[in-house]
Amino acid sequence: MIESQGWWQKWARFAGCLILATSLFHAPVRTHAQTPEGDDPATITSLIREVTDYVTKSAYKTEPKAIIYTKALKGLVTQLGESAKSQEKDLSTMIDDAAEAEFIRILQGIASTPGQRLSLRELAERALQAYCRQHDAYTRYVRSDELKLVKLMGKTTGSAVGMSVMEKDDGFYCYPLPGSPAEAAGVKAGQKLLSVDGKPVEGRSLEYLAAVIRGAPGTEVSLRVEHTFGRAQTIRVTRETLSTPSVLTEKRVASFILRVRKFSKELLTEARAALAQVSTGSTLTIDFQGCPGGDLDVALEFAGMFMEPGEPIVTVRRRGQPDEVISANKPREFKPAGVIMLQDSGTASGAELVIAALVASKTARGASQGTKSYGKGMTQNGIDLRGGGRLIVTTGELIAPQGQTWDKTGLLPSLENRGRIFPKD
């Protein structure tokens, strides 16, 4: 066995910040030259229009702009409480341009209410954020003030605590990596994150949480978490400077264990070097526990290394387009006698894609073991908006070779379910 401290010193860094599950399967974020963040109605109208245009053109599931404005307004009023209740209005029956104008007028009315501390921009961005949360589990809007901090922290050297944070059911959940500072401090997998340094995480973005949890080596960050049985606890975690490859290996007498932590660009090179030690006919165990996924292309190529050309890996379904069936297209590189894949509730996205593909493959002879996986089977695209802020939109659905999606349901471990990974195969 490998000691957990040794593991961590070898692999527990991800760009000095959190591993973000819901940012997986994004296309690279498109950027535009952002204009100064004005607070006048014309600037805010332009920002809102940019968001609604992108959603209606690119989202996997879309709806008329008038409904978008109605949902955004309702979400904002819910946040503001009774003081804004009289401003709630159904705009869904109006034509889009009229609904947009009325939406802006209502925001201006709220902004001018005596005692209202939020500016027109802040109200608009909170409304957009509220809409995105209603749209689906992965679409989100990063407010311009948060994005500034994210970009600033991205330019500085910081340290991490070694923890994935995943967003699900309108909450954030912690998945510490084995041997990490977060695990050593007492953070448990599946605990709900309530606050960071005393500041509630509700209404924030994953990108923002990544930025605020980072910090100078040796400093502490205070994480308030809620246990699965309901009790809340504040845990202080010391940040560390961490370095990591994407995989870790362990060789045993008759088997070989490959631990995959994220589908990064470096993974394929590291995995091939490690798997070269696996002799044909031996058993390979791939540990995906706590793996939140990563780059879609990397996950596809990784799965293909164990499959024959022509075997299906996944189908990508997008709105208004024919299904795209992606199959292995290169000669099979590795031929173990069998592949056992370990999974848990922190196994998500790209890791789930690989598990489903190898279980379905007749040549890979894959099997999975553990507990039900996380359940993220969608793709996203991101864009830095001209008017400030960042929009991340769900653009497609992933369908396993078994003909079902694992999104929201997760994958069952096949060894404990007579070969099934879906409730109804």
Side-chain angles (χ1 to χ4, degrees), residues 254 278-284 332 334-340 363-366:
V278 181
S279 57
T280 300
S282 63
T283 300
L284 172 65
R332 185 181 177 193
F334 302 103
K335 301 178 180 180
V339 180
I340 303 297
T363 55
R365 288 173 288 184

Side-chain angles (χ1 to χ4, degrees), residues 164-169 171-175 190-193:
S164 302
V165 175
M166 303 187 185
E167 187 172 11
K168 193 171 187 179
D169 299 328
F172 298 100
Y173 294 86
C174 305
Y175 293 91
Q191 289 180 332
K192 187 175 183 179
L193 182 63

Side-chain angles (χ1 to χ4, degrees), residues 333-399:
E333 297 181 48
F334 302 103
K335 301 178 180 180
V339 180
I340 303 297
M341 294 165 287
L342 305 182
Q343 63 179 57
D344 63 10
S345 61
T347 303
S349 215
E352 293 173 299
L353 179 153
V354 174
I355 290 171
L358 297 191
V359 169
S361 169
K362 294 181 180 179
T363 55
R365 288 173 288 184
S368 56
Q369 184 176 16
T371 58
K372 190 171 73 169
S373 66
Y374 181 80
K376 180 181 185 297
M378 308 297 284
T379 64
Q380 288 81 44
N381 285 345
I383 179 173
D384 281 356
L385 302 161
R386 294 182 179 88
R390 175 178 291 169
L391 179 65
I392 298 162
V393 174
T394 299
T395 56
E397 182 178 21
L398 300 173
I399 309 296

Side-chain angles (χ1 to χ4, degrees), residues 24-318:
L24 308 176
F25 291 169
H26 287 177
V29 175
R30 285 198 291 139
T31 60
H32 296 301
Q34 294 191 318
T35 58
E37 294 174 7
D39 196 43
D40 59 281
T43 300
I44 301 307
T45 299
S46 179
L47 170 63
I48 291 170
R49 191 173 296 163
E50 190 177 6
V51 170
T52 56
D53 281 349
Y54 195 81
V55 169
T56 54
K57 291 177 181 177
S58 302
Y60 180 53
K61 295 179 180 178
T62 191
E63 52 200 347
K65 289 185 179 181
I67 294 180
I68 294 177
Y69 297 132
T70 299
K71 289 184 175 180
L73 181 59
K74 182 176 181 179
L76 176 64
V77 169
T78 300
Q79 289 182 38
L80 297 178
E82 287 299 323
S83 63
K85 194 69 177 176
S86 62
Q87 299 285 359
E88 187 173 347
K89 185 176 181 180
D90 185 356
L91 310 176
S92 62
T93 59
M94 303 173 69
I95 62 172
D96 289 345
D97 289 346
E100 177 188 276
E102 182 64 7
F103 180 61
I104 297 297
R105 187 196 66 77
I106 293 173
L107 292 181
Q108 288 179 280
I110 296 174
S112 62
T113 301
Q116 176 57 254
R117 297 181 179 181
L118 298 176
S119 67
L120 180 59
R121 170 175 283 275
E122 289 171 321
L123 290 169
E125 292 198 293
R126 285 172 185 257
L128 292 172
Q129 204 167 44
Y131 167 72
C132 288
R133 290 196 188 94
Q134 297 173 70
H135 186 72
D136 64 44
Y138 313 112
T139 293
R140 63 188 188 274
Y141 179 84
V142 184
R143 302 197 308 254
S144 55
D145 59 335
E146 293 183 342
L147 187 58
K148 281 183 179 180
L149 177 61
V150 171
K151 290 184 175 181
L152 176 63
M153 294 301 291
K155 297 178 181 178
T156 61
T157 301
S159 297
V161 300
M163 182 175 75
S164 302
V165 175
M166 303 187 185
E167 187 172 11
K168 193 171 187 179
D169 299 328
D170 205 24
F172 298 100
Y173 294 86
C174 305
Y175 293 91
L177 299 174
S180 66
E183 184 187 63
V187 179
K188 307 295 184 184
Q191 289 180 332
K192 187 175 183 179
L193 182 63
L194 302 177
S195 68
V196 177
D197 285 335
K199 298 178 180 179
V201 301
E202 185 178 0
R204 294 296 188 175
S205 66
L206 281 170
E207 289 82 356
Y208 175 82
L209 295 182
V212 297
I213 291 179
R214 290 181 65 191
T219 60
E220 287 188 338
V221 60
S222 177
L223 306 177
R224 188 159 183 79
V225 299
E226 183 178 274
H227 295 272
T228 53
F229 52 82
R231 184 171 65 86
Q233 177 186 6
T234 299
I235 300 175
R236 301 191 66 82
V237 186
T238 301
R239 300 176 176 103
E240 294 184 14
T241 301
L242 309 165
S243 59
T244 174
S246 298
V247 299
L248 183 71
T249 62
E250 181 181 346
K251 196 170 185 178
R252 296 183 178 178
V253 175
S255 64
F256 189 90
I257 299 176
L258 182 76
R259 294 187 171 89
V260 176
R261 291 302 159 219
K262 187 176 188 297
F263 288 95
S264 63
K265 294 180 180 179
E266 298 78 20
L267 177 131
L268 294 171
T269 299
E270 295 172 6
R272 285 188 170 102
L275 291 169
Q277 305 173 56
V278 181
S279 57
T280 300
S282 63
T283 300
L284 172 65
T285 297
I286 306 177
D287 185 354
F288 288 122
Q289 295 177 102
C291 176
D295 188 293
L296 174 59
D297 291 335
V298 173
L300 291 169
E301 187 168 346
F302 182 86
M305 294 193 302
F306 303 93
M307 302 170 69
E308 294 293 345
E311 284 193 292
I313 300 174
V314 73
T315 297
V316 182
R317 183 165 294 163
R318 301 182 180 90

